[in-house]
Amino acid sequence: MAFLVSGTLQVAAQIADAQDSLGRKGKYNLQGPRMALTLSSPEVLASTVAVLEDVFQILGFESCQRREASVQEFLGELTGFRKQLDAHGGPMGCALVALVALSGQLRQPQQLVRELSRCGALRGCPKVFLLLSSTPGGAPKPRAFLTELGELCRRCSHWSLLQLLTEVFCRMAEESSGATYCPVLRSSLRGALCLGDVKPWRPKPEPSFSAQYDLSGTRAALLLSVMLDRPGAQHDVKALRDLCQALGFETTLRTDPTAQAFQEEVAQFRKQLDTHRGPVSCALVALMAHGGPQGQLLGADGQEVQPEALVQELNCCGALRGRPKIFLIQACRGGHRDAGMGLIALPWFWRWLQAPPAIPSYADILQIHVDAQGSSSSGFTPGNSDILTVYAATEGCVAYRDEKKGSDFIQTLVEVLRTDPRGDLLELLTEVNRQMCELDVLGPDCDERRKACLEIHSSLRRRLCLQA
């Protein structure tokens, strides 16, 4: 009997470990199979798909499927792929889906992303989406992107995918009409994702000086917070203000701005930076307010302002050209309250194994939008480089705040940055998301536990470390 119980516990532990693919050191273990799927419209050149398949092989995907279909048929094809993974009979290691179509055709990629998020076999596993577009009959830009990515994967296999993409973005950036354009990534990953064939005996190359932003100049921060009818907001304001000052930011605070004042304050902030004597090396803008059903910010007057408009306002700052611009957005982006995805196991496993909590439904997703100058395929402000935007909630979801301690996002962010201010900011934000995803949140208008998840949008082209 003891042997039977011991064996049962061992099997149960293996199931629990497989269900939670995130290692204890904040890195996905990728022990299961890696599956890749390419969905391409008929107009896409076969050579582009061939380059894709080469990259998949470099990244260690043993199963690479291809479907040619119209963009309208992509959802049905992806549903079939999801069912295939669920019928596999065991947990996956990682899934990669490449969506290749003519520029402007992929207008609602989030519907495709969320379809794969429903896959039980991929619960807790990274899901990577490559959104590539091309021009009819022409050589598509994605081929150059894929070539750069494949080369870097061979040389720097120990780098995380976010590190690799940042380097690729630097190489792919283009100057156009006085602005710099590059691809954009959109992440809700909870840990480091290393897809390469890591050789522990291979020496780790040191990053060059150009691989990191120079923050020796002035740093400026603008904090805009609606306090009215937002209990606990004062804790966020104090924590964030103290952090900015500790990191050497010249900080400006404005409370209870109206929707118009949001725009005016960011515009005034931009003008001050443009007239500043001496170099400006970095800007941080925190936007804290109630959110509308489509992700709008609500001013103290209840009127709406689009956060993307505020991002673009600061992007026009000449003093910040080629410099990192950080936006922290603590606001709801809709009314959905995510119950998360629980373990697929018997109830007694929970009691015996102390299984990890449910995972937010839209965690562990990485989207890479290569056609940065293209249409609205990315679903958010595309194209401009050196921008990092962090949302306290994924698209359509509630951002939580506690009246006694403030919001989980701001408080966790401050704690992580104070612990390791010299770390790479993208990696630190991934750690913030990991900690947030482990929380069970009880909202003021809900008696059931809910989950929260960050969404990070980045077009950074270098490592960003806020303290030398």
Side-chain angles (χ1 to χ4, degrees):
M1 175 63 78
F3 175 78
L4 178 61
V5 172
S6 175
T8 302
L9 285 174
Q10 183 177 8
V11 172
Q14 292 174 348
I15 292 175
D17 289 342
Q19 291 288 350
D20 185 8
S21 74
L22 192 63
R24 294 179 180 177
K25 296 183 179 180
K27 179 178 178 180
Y28 293 101
N29 61 42
L30 305 183
Q31 291 181 354
R34 303 184 189 184
M35 307 289 285
L37 170 68
T38 298
L39 294 177
S40 60
S41 60
E43 303 86 357
V44 174
L45 296 176
S47 56
T48 301
V49 177
V51 175
L52 262 174
E53 293 176 347
D54 289 342
V55 173
F56 291 166
Q57 293 294 331
I58 295 171
L59 295 176
F61 286 84
E62 55 268 1
S63 177
C64 305
Q65 304 176 29
R66 178 189 176 187
R67 305 279 191 276
E68 184 177 289
S70 66
V71 174
Q72 292 76 17
E73 296 172 326
F74 277 10
L75 181 58
E77 294 290 345
L78 196 56
T79 300
F81 182 62
R82 173 182 62 80
K83 293 179 179 179
Q84 175 188 346
L85 297 183
D86 277 333
H88 180 267
M92 296 286 116
C94 180
L96 192 156
V97 175
L99 306 173
V100 194
L102 295 183
S103 182
Q105 287 188 346
L106 288 171
R107 297 187 178 277
Q108 293 183 325
Q110 296 313 303
Q111 187 179 13
L112 303 174
V113 171
R114 297 200 167 186
E115 174 63 25
L116 194 60
S117 297
R118 297 171 51 205
C119 180
L122 288 172
R123 176 202 172 274
C125 301
K127 297 163 277 286
V128 182
F129 287 81
L130 272 172
L131 288 87
L132 313 171
S133 61
S134 61
T135 55
K141 183 189 301 185
R143 290 173 61 186
F145 172 87
L146 293 170
T147 300
E148 293 285 0
L149 180 59
E151 177 189 343
L152 275 173
C153 287
R154 287 190 181 95
R155 292 196 298 108
C156 307
S157 57
H158 59 282
W159 283 13
S160 73
L161 190 53
L162 292 186
Q163 291 175 313
L164 291 171
L165 289 172
T166 300
E167 177 64 24
V168 174
F169 288 3
C170 184
R171 299 182 182 188
M172 292 292 298
E174 293 183 354
E175 298 289 334
S176 177
S177 302
T180 305
Y181 294 91
C182 75
V184 182
L185 66 84
R186 181 171 178 168
S187 171
S188 63
L189 295 179
R190 298 176 296 133
L193 175 56
C194 298
L195 292 174
D197 182 17
V198 178
K199 303 282 194 301
W201 57 85
R202 182 179 297 171
K204 182 176 181 179
E206 292 295 329
S208 64
F209 180 78
S210 62
Q212 184 168 316
Y213 286 105
D214 177 12
L215 300 189
S216 59
T218 298
R219 309 178 193 186
L222 174 64
L223 312 183
L224 301 177
S225 178
V226 174
M227 315 292 284
L228 185 65
D229 194 29
R230 295 184 67 243
Q234 71 275 14
H235 301 299
D236 287 346
V237 168
K238 182 182 186 308
L240 202 52
R241 187 176 190 177
D242 290 347
L243 175 68
C244 288
Q245 292 176 347
L247 292 174
F249 283 83
E250 298 178 2
T251 307
T252 301
L253 170 65
R254 298 288 185 267
T255 59
D256 287 326
T258 63
Q260 182 176 351
F262 266 108
Q263 296 176 317
E264 293 173 347
E265 290 291 348
V266 175
Q268 180 63 26
F269 184 61
R270 174 181 62 81
K271 292 177 182 178
Q272 290 175 352
L273 296 179
D274 274 334
T275 57
H276 181 78
R277 292 186 178 181
V280 179
S281 61
C282 181
L284 183 151
V285 176
L287 307 171
M288 296 172 279
H290 284 300
Q294 303 300 322
Q296 313 94 320
L297 294 176
L298 303 181
D301 56 351
Q303 299 301 306
E304 300 176 354
V305 60
Q306 295 292 341
E308 291 79 11
L310 304 179
V311 172
Q312 285 305 302
E313 175 67 37
L314 192 61
N315 191 61
C316 296
C317 179
L320 288 172
R321 184 176 180 184
R323 305 294 186 182
K325 296 162 277 286
I326 307 167
F327 290 84
L328 308 176
I329 303 178
Q330 169 58 43
C332 294
R333 302 178 70 194
H336 177 62
R337 291 170 173 79
D338 185 10
M341 299 175 65
L343 285 176
I344 306 173
L346 296 177
W348 54 274
F349 286 173
W350 288 73
R351 298 193 302 270
W352 286 9
L353 300 175
Q354 296 182 347
I359 296 173
S361 301
Y362 307 123
D364 307 303
I365 295 172
L366 175 63
Q367 301 176 51
I368 307 153
H369 301 261
V370 177
D371 186 19
Q373 290 193 74
S375 62
S376 59
S377 64
S378 61
F380 59 96
T381 306
N384 301 116
S385 67
D386 310 301
I387 296 175
L388 175 64
T389 305
V390 190
Y391 294 90
T394 52
E395 187 175 332
C397 292
V398 169
Y400 293 94
R401 172 179 28 82
D402 187 285
E403 63 181 23
K404 295 182 180 179
K405 64 178 183 179
S407 67
D408 294 319
F409 167 45
I410 297 297
Q411 297 300 322
T412 306
L413 171 71
V414 169
E415 181 181 350
V416 170
L417 288 182
R418 283 192 177 277
T419 301
D420 187 13
R422 292 179 172 83
D424 179 87
L425 188 54
L426 268 182
E427 295 178 1
L428 294 177
L429 288 169
T430 301
E431 171 61 18
V432 173
N433 191 40
R434 185 191 67 80
Q435 294 187 21
M436 282 193 60
C437 288
E438 290 184 352
L439 298 175
D440 285 324
V441 182
L442 185 62
D445 54 352
C446 180
D447 294 330
E448 297 181 4
R449 297 289 177 176
R450 293 290 182 255
K451 307 300 292 187
C453 180
L454 297 186
E455 189 167 278
I456 303 165
H457 297 176
S458 174
S459 61
L460 296 179
R461 296 179 293 153
R462 293 175 175 83
R463 296 178 70 247
L464 176 55
C465 303
L466 294 180
Q467 193 171 96

